[in-house]
């Protein structure tokens, strides 16, 4: 069985998130998703997520092509997360291109980066929604 693992915050879930998860699931038999904890997201993006880690996990785990979800507390722990889930393939978005190649030296796991869906991001949605709110 080929186990695929991917990571992300998946805040304000949108079609770009959906598509990368679906594409990742098609690369193996089982898809496991590491969802960034609220604290990790604050560290990465200097802001709290709109949806809490519990809500984001609930959304991701309800997708039919996601088999398992866990919370990611630290970017440095990636090798351990991959080992504990018996991962054969790590899938990341190309915004992380090259950043996790070191994993291959620590875990017997392939690493690939998939293209992002153009023209959509959580940050942009938050900005647009904020603009609508401010103009109301
Ligand atoms: N994504 C995408 N297309 C978009 C927006 C996002 O394919 N238009 C992908 C990203 O490339 C990523 C996933 O959706 O693979 C989740 O995106 P984020 O929530 O922004 O993930 P991020 O906060 O970068 O977390 O361990 C690394 C991190 O946890 C990744």
């Amino acid at each position: 069985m080929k186990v695929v693992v991917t990571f992300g915050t998946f805040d304000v879930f949108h079609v770009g998130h959906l598509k990368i998860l679906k594409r990742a699931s098609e690369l193996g038999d089982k898809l496991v998703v590491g969802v960034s904890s609220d604290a990790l997201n604050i560290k990465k993006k200097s802001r709290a997520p709109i949806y809490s880690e519990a809500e984001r996990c609930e959304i991701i785990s309800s997708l039919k092509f996601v088999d398992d979800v866990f919370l990611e507390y630290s970017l440095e722990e990636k090798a351990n997360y991959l080992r504990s889930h018996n991962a054969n393939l790590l899938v990341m978005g190309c915004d992380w291109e090259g950043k996790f190649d070191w994993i291959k030296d620590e875990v017997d796991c392939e690493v690939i980066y998939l293209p992002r869906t153009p023209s959509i991001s959580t940050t942009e949605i938050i900005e647009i929604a904020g603009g609508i709110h401010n103009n109301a």
Side-chain angles (χ1 to χ4, degrees):
M1 164 173 321
K2 184 166 178 182
V3 179
V4 181
V5 174
T6 192
F7 293 85
T9 309
F10 305 102
D11 193 23
V12 190
F13 193 78
H14 60 65
V15 74
H17 296 146
L18 187 72
K19 284 186 170 162
I20 201 161
L21 291 173
K22 185 154 195 307
R23 280 181 292 158
S25 75
E26 287 162 358
L27 297 173
D29 306 301
K30 180 180 176 189
L31 178 63
V32 181
V33 184
V35 174
S36 299
S37 68
D38 292 341
L40 176 58
N41 189 67
I42 291 167
K43 211 169 146 191
K44 282 191 299 188
K45 303 192 177 168
S46 307
R47 64 167 171 78
I50 304 281
Y51 294 156
S52 71
E53 57 192 32
E55 291 166 328
R56 290 180 287 111
C57 283
E58 202 176 335
I59 291 168
I60 303 297
S61 61
S62 70
L63 298 171
K64 63 180 178 197
F65 40 81
V66 171
D67 299 288
D68 199 4
V69 166
F70 66 93
L71 275 172
E72 179 188 32
Y73 293 99
S74 162
L75 296 180
E76 286 77 41
E77 289 297 311
K78 274 220 165 36
N80 289 333
Y81 293 130
L82 292 170
R83 250 180 243 115
S84 65
H85 288 93
N86 298 315
N88 304 107
L89 174 65
L90 167 63
V91 172
M92 297 297 299
C94 63
D95 40 332
W96 293 88
E97 186 80 50
K99 298 251 167 47
F100 295 111
D101 287 353
W102 59 270
I103 296 276
K104 288 181 269 188
D105 301 331
E106 293 202 17
V107 190
D108 185 17
C109 177
E110 269 179 87
V111 180
I112 64 163
Y113 304 88
L114 296 181
R116 285 166 64 93
T117 301
S119 316
I120 186 156
S121 76
T122 298
T123 308
E124 207 178 311
I125 295 169
I126 294 170
E127 280 167 10
I128 292 167
I132 291 167
H133 176 76
N134 291 336
N135 293 331

